[in-house]
């Protein structure tokens, strides 16, 4: 029975995904909603992304320097930092922070819309609730997460530079050239953006699906919010492993 129920939920999620793409029509109203959602779930997530990126850069610098200094390779610190950020930590941690900050918000908003019959009311007014409430949030996440990943990595590298050069005493002449020579634009930076786009789509779809199909009660909304964060986080980690195995050989 559990297998049958999982298969049924997977089928419903697939149909829901198709309905999101069908409802994504380039109309003026759609672009207004898209702009509003980019601000709500993208721009408003920037402070936590910036703080998280800075502290990740500081920790990586501290631990990386201690490890590399043991082998006399402390000048490779920026290489370790850049590859770790762009290949793995940047996209994954940005997605996890985004899920906690914006994914939970998407699930809660749609769950409350279900609980207060707003979704039903949209249908009664011949307005597609998926196109009105879900599609703008989905595309806003797809566009925002790669940009947030770029900010995350930038703040991490800036914080790392300040600690490595002005606290630890590493020669700045080694920091930037090593980073530039060993971090490839296509293989590292562009792949990080690709990963981020997939993670943003996954996060938004999971949060929207769970919130859209939540039980029409306050308790159902809280359960949907928790389920959205847990399921989206696990899927991001799983997809990250699959994409890393395929892209980095």
């Amino acid at each position: 029975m559990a297998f049958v129920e999982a298969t049924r939920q997977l089928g419903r999620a697939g149909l829901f995904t198709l309905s999101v793409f069908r409802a994504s029509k380039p109309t003026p109203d759609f672009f207004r909603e898209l702009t509003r959602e980019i601000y709500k779930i993208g721009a408003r997530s920037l402070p936590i992304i910036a703080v998280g990126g800075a502290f990740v850069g500081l920790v990586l610098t501290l631990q990386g320097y201690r490890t590399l200094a043991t082998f006399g390779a402390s000048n490779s610190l920026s290489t370790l930092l850049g590859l770790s950020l762009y290949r793995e930590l940047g996209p994954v941690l940005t997605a996890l922070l985004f899920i906690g900050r914006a994914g939970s918000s998407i699930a809660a908003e749609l769950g409350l819309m279900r609980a207060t019959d707003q979704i039903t009311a949209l249908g009664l007014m011949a307005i597609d609730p998926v196109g009105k409430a879900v599609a703008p949030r989905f595309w806003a996440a797809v566009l925002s997460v790669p940009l947030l990943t770029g900010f995350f990595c930038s703040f991490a590298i800036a914080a790392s530079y300040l600690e490595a050069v002005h606290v630890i005493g590493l020669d700045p002449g080694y920091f930037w050239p090593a980073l530039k020579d060993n971090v490839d634009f296509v293989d590292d930076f562009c792949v990080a953006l690709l990963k981020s786009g997939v993670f943003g789509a996954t996060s938004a779809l999971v949060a929207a699906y769970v919130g859209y199909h939540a039980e029409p009660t306050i308790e159902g909304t809280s359960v949907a919010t928790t389920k959205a964060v847990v399921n989206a986080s696990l899927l991001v980690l799983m997809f990250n492993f699959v994409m890393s195995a395929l892209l980095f050989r």
Side-chain angles (χ1 to χ4, degrees):
M1 292 299 294
F3 175 77
V4 174
E5 177 62 22
T7 304
R8 187 175 69 86
Q9 290 293 337
L10 184 62
R12 290 181 63 187
L15 293 175
F16 181 78
T17 302
L18 292 177
S19 68
V20 171
F21 283 102
R22 283 199 304 265
S24 302
K25 300 176 181 178
T27 62
D29 182 62
F30 174 81
F31 284 113
R32 281 194 297 270
E33 291 293 329
L34 176 63
T35 303
R36 185 180 298 112
E37 292 300 328
I38 288 176
Y39 173 73
K40 285 173 58 179
I41 69 177
R44 288 187 173 180
S45 299
L46 187 56
I48 189 174
I49 295 297
V51 174
F55 279 103
V56 167
L58 292 174
V59 170
L60 281 178
T61 301
L62 182 63
Q63 298 298 332
Y65 179 79
R66 289 176 177 175
T67 302
L68 292 174
T70 304
F71 302 97
S74 57
N75 291 334
S76 300
L77 177 62
S78 60
T79 300
L80 173 66
L81 176 77
L83 294 179
S84 300
L85 283 173
Y86 286 110
R87 291 193 174 189
E88 299 296 337
L89 293 180
V92 172
L93 293 180
T94 300
L96 294 179
L97 290 173
F98 179 84
I99 291 168
R101 164 62 179 80
S104 59
S105 174
I106 292 173
E109 288 175 356
L110 293 176
L112 285 174
M113 290 180 68
R114 175 66 69 182
T116 56
D117 291 327
Q118 294 182 52
I119 292 178
T120 304
L122 289 173
L124 292 175
M125 291 186 294
I127 299 174
D128 182 9
V130 174
K132 180 69 174 178
V134 178
R137 289 176 168 85
F138 169 75
W139 290 110
V142 173
L143 295 173
S144 297
V145 175
L147 295 175
L148 292 174
T149 299
F151 279 108
F152 183 96
C153 295
S154 298
F155 279 102
I157 292 173
S160 174
Y161 173 79
L162 293 176
E163 182 179 17
V165 173
H166 297 287
V167 177
I168 296 176
L170 189 69
D171 189 345
Y174 288 108
F175 190 91
W176 295 116
L179 186 65
K180 179 181 177 182
D181 293 340
N182 293 285
V183 176
D184 187 77
F185 177 76
V186 175
D187 292 338
D188 298 318
F189 182 78
C190 291
V191 169
L193 296 184
L194 174 62
K195 277 188 171 185
S196 301
V198 173
F199 297 161
T202 301
S203 305
L205 281 175
V206 171
Y209 173 78
V210 173
Y212 190 84
H213 295 94
E215 293 293 328
T217 61
I218 298 300
E219 183 180 359
T221 300
S222 64
V223 170
T225 303
T226 303
K227 188 183 297 185
V229 172
V230 173
N231 292 349
S233 299
L234 292 177
L235 281 175
V236 162
L237 294 174
M238 182 183 72
F239 287 160
N240 178 65
F241 170 75
V242 174
M243 295 183 72
S244 294
L246 293 175
L247 296 173
F248 300 118
R249 291 185 177 182

